[in-house]
Amino acid sequence: MTEQELTDRVLDKVAGAPDLRFRDVMLALVKHLHGFIREVGLTQEEWRRAIDFLTATGQKCDAKRQEFILLSDTLGVSMLVDAVNHRLHQGATESTVLGPFHVAGAPMLPLGADIAEGEPGVPTFVSGRVTDVGGKPIAGAELDVWQTDADGFYDVQRPSLGAMRLRGKFTTDAEGGYRFRTVKPVSYPIPTDGPVGRMLEKLGSHPYRPAHLHMIVSAEGHAPIATHIFVAGDPYIDSDAVFGVKPSLIADFTEHAPGPAPDGTRMDRPFCDIRFDFKLSPIQP
Ligand code: BEZ
Ligand code: FE
């Protein structure tokens, strides 16, 4: 049997699958996988190491750690899936990678609340509006926000904490406005104590993500977006380990000397403020 005959026999078998979408996906998978092996001339030893790598990736996963998503993220697969699925949402705020640290059930907070109370870091006032793609304000839109602490860790990465922090949900007012207080996010490394960390090392690339705030913005009748606001000027803005940066999501975190703050209080230390508007597209009928 020739190499091509082998590929054709596998394709013939897959072509008989009754689920048509499954059939099409599997046909493309077999075609590209076989093509990849032929292209690189994969050795037996490389095949074995690939199996070991995937096995270790699975073994690293548990309820709190998803090494396969990290693998997808660091190979640009998550961002490509995101792009393919947002081809229709023209005019809406761009989405980016969700990441593994979103937690359902963050506390619903009043507008203006501080999600970083008692946390070290530069106080930061975040505000803006949620509108539709035509600029019409969306009242009652929800922003689900999360970020790292000053050391670059999410609450779920500190199991001893036993509680949520640096997370919150906000609902826009009648003009589509939102505002909350936090601390300026910092750049941080994605987890490197597993097979993905070893892969990055072998690639000679760093594991850092540029500083960002995460949010899922949603409103009835509109397509929800999972996105970030990135801090302009971050040293990793052009080399995000998971390829998540889009120019439209980079914002200036304007620095201010101590004095009057956007929430009407007086700050006795330097602070930042940042405005960022979100646009949602209608759900396609
Ligand atoms: C994050 O931004 O939280 C993240 C995204 C992808 C991989 C790891 C972390
Ligand atoms: Fe993050």
Side-chain angles (χ1 to χ4, degrees):
M1 185 163 49
T2 65
E3 287 174 15
Q4 192 53 52
E5 279 167 354
L6 171 66
T7 300
D8 290 343
R9 279 178 74 168
V10 180
L11 289 173
D12 279 350
K13 179 173 180 168
V14 171
D19 178 331
L20 297 188
R21 173 67 182 161
F22 180 68
R23 181 197 70 184
D24 290 348
V25 171
M26 288 299 290
L27 283 173
L29 177 69
V30 169
K31 187 175 115 204
H32 289 282
L33 198 52
H34 283 221
F36 158 73
I37 289 162
R38 264 194 286 276
E39 184 181 321
V40 301
L42 199 73
T43 66
Q44 297 279 1
E45 172 59 12
E46 286 163 345
W47 173 83
R48 196 193 55 74
R49 283 167 68 178
I51 299 287
D52 288 348
F53 175 80
L54 291 174
T55 305
T57 301
Q59 286 167 343
K60 193 73 190 165
C61 295
D62 61 26
K64 289 212 167 131
R65 176 74 179 261
Q66 233 305 349
E67 194 75 357
F68 273 113
I69 294 186
L70 211 53
L71 180 59
S72 160
D73 294 341
T74 49
L75 292 178
V77 172
S78 308
M79 284 304 292
L80 187 56
V81 172
D82 177 71
V84 165
N85 283 278
H86 288 88
R87 285 172 179 158
L88 293 176
H89 299 159
Q90 271 143 17
T93 300
E94 292 191 281
S95 50
T96 187
V97 65
L98 176 67
F101 301 119
H102 176 252
V103 174
M108 190 63 84
L109 301 172
L111 286 174
D114 187 356
I115 63 167
E117 226 173 319
E119 293 288 333
V122 182
T124 297
F125 296 87
V126 188
S127 64
R129 284 202 320 157
V130 181
T131 68
D132 67 13
V133 285
K136 193 163 145 270
I138 304 179
E142 184 182 282
L143 282 92
D144 186 348
V145 183
W146 69 105
Q147 72 170 91
T148 56
D149 60 23
D151 296 327
F153 290 109
Y154 290 92
D155 51 5
V156 290
Q157 293 176 290
R158 295 188 188 274
S160 60
L161 213 65
M164 287 194 197
R165 56 167 208 183
L166 289 155
R167 298 178 187 274
K169 286 184 183 171
F170 299 91
T171 305
T172 55
D173 61 23
E175 284 79 48
Y178 77 88
R179 59 196 173 278
F180 64 91
R181 185 176 154 171
T182 184
V183 285
K184 189 178 178 188
V186 296
S187 31
Y188 65 88
I190 61 169
T192 53
D193 59 339
V196 171
R198 290 196 289 279
M199 178 187 78
L200 290 180
E201 209 177 324
K202 191 140 187 177
L203 289 171
S205 71
H206 72 74
Y208 280 84
R209 297 217 63 208
H212 55 272
L213 295 170
H214 286 262
M215 51 260 307
I216 297 174
V217 187
S218 56
E220 218 181 302
H222 296 79
I225 44 158
T227 193
H228 297 5
I229 304 175
F230 289 97
V231 179
D234 187 281
Y236 298 104
I237 206 81
D238 294 323
S239 63
D240 183 0
V242 304
F243 307 96
V245 179
K246 294 177 177 175
S248 68
L249 303 178
I250 302 173
D252 285 322
F253 282 58
T254 311
E255 289 171 15
H256 298 274
D263 66 352
T265 60
R266 225 190 134 67
M267 298 297 292
D268 58 5
R269 54 190 170 130
F271 63 95
C272 283
D273 87 303
I274 176 248
R275 252 200 85 86
F276 197 92
D277 296 333
F278 296 95
K279 284 192 158 91
L280 300 184
S281 60
I283 288 174
Q284 312 291 328

